[in-house]
Every structure is written in C-alpha cells, then in structure tokens.
C-alpha cells in the first residue's frame, strides 16, 4: 500500500528517508480545499453566531446592569461582610484551640515536674 506521492529512499546509513515531491496534483489540492471548507465552514459560522449572540446580550443587559448597580453593590457588600465575619470566626476558633492546647501542655508539664503542686491544685478544685 504505497502512495504514489510519497518517495521513500534508503540512505547509505541504512535509515529510511521519507520525502514529498515538489509537485502535488491539482486534484488533491482541490479535494483538500473542499474538505477544509466542508469542515471549517460550519465551525466558522457557529463561531460568528456565538459572537453575535454574546454581543447582542451584552448590549441588551448593559442598561439593566447600570440600572440595578446599587442593588448589586449592596449585595456584594453584604456578601463581603459575611465572608469577613466567617473568616474572623475561623481565626478566633484557631486562636482558642491553640490556647487550649497550650494550657493543657503547660498543665501536663507542671504535673510531670512538680507533682506536689498538681496534687494540691487537684484537692483545692475538688472541694
């Protein structure tokens, strides 16, 4: 199954070299152009339609966006405030958990190195 347009030569190194001729028949060129138009034409048309629809929707919605911008701005500010509040709550939770961890670490160290203080404290807390 050899194509008449492809030339295969064997060089003195033993490798095969594939080359294409300088002349391509006009029938092949015409077939390639027709296939390219058949595939690319509808794609180009859909691209133009998509661009036209996007531009039309932008032109129609621009006055609405300008009209409702105060409402959108206030909604964005409320959303930003809620996000800031949740962020602050998360930071406080992390700070509280790390403080509790530090307190428990210190109590464990105190109990290991000074058992008399920890027993006196336990008796004081239990009464």
């Amino acid at each position: 199954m050899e194509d008449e347009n492809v030339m295969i030569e064997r060089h003195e190194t033993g490798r095969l070299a594939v080359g294409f001729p300088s002349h391509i028949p006009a029938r092949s060129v015409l077939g390639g152009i027709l296939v390219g138009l058949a595939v690319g034409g509808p794609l180009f048309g859909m691209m133009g339609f998509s661009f036209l629809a996007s531009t039309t929707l932008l032109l129609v919605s621009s006055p609405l966006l300008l009209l409702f911008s105060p409402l959108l701005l206030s909604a964005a500010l409320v959303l930003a405030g809620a996000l800031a509040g949740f962020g602050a709550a998360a930071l406080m939770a992390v700070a509280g958990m790390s403080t509790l961890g530090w307190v428990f670490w210190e109590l464990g160290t105190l109990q290991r190195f000074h058992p008399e203080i920890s027993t006196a404290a336990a008796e004081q807390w239990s009464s």
Side-chain angles (χ1 to χ4, degrees):
M1 182 170 117
E2 247 184 64
D3 190 6
E4 66 268 0
N5 294 333
V6 178
M7 296 181 298
I8 301 176
E9 300 176 356
R10 185 175 294 277
H11 286 283
E12 58 273 356
T13 60
R15 294 183 182 171
L16 290 178
V18 178
F20 290 96
S22 60
H23 174 67
I24 299 175
R27 192 173 193 161
S28 296
V29 172
L30 183 64
I33 289 173
L34 290 177
V35 167
L37 285 175
V39 171
L43 291 175
F44 192 71
M46 286 188 295
M47 182 184 68
F49 176 74
S50 174
F51 177 71
L52 184 66
S54 298
T55 306
T56 304
L57 286 174
L58 180 69
L59 288 175
V60 167
S61 66
S62 292
L64 293 174
L65 183 65
L66 189 62
L67 183 66
F68 290 116
S69 62
L71 179 66
L72 293 174
L73 180 66
S74 61
L77 289 176
V78 166
L79 180 66
L83 288 176
F86 278 113
L91 285 175
M92 288 181 198
V94 168
M97 294 299 287
S98 65
T99 303
L100 279 176
W102 176 74
V103 166
F104 286 133
W105 177 265
E106 288 295 323
L107 286 176
T109 306
L110 183 68
Q111 188 176 15
R112 266 185 281 149
F113 291 116
H114 304 286
E116 69 280 352
I117 297 176
S118 62
T119 18
E123 289 173 2
Q124 182 183 5
W125 287 343
S126 63
S127 57

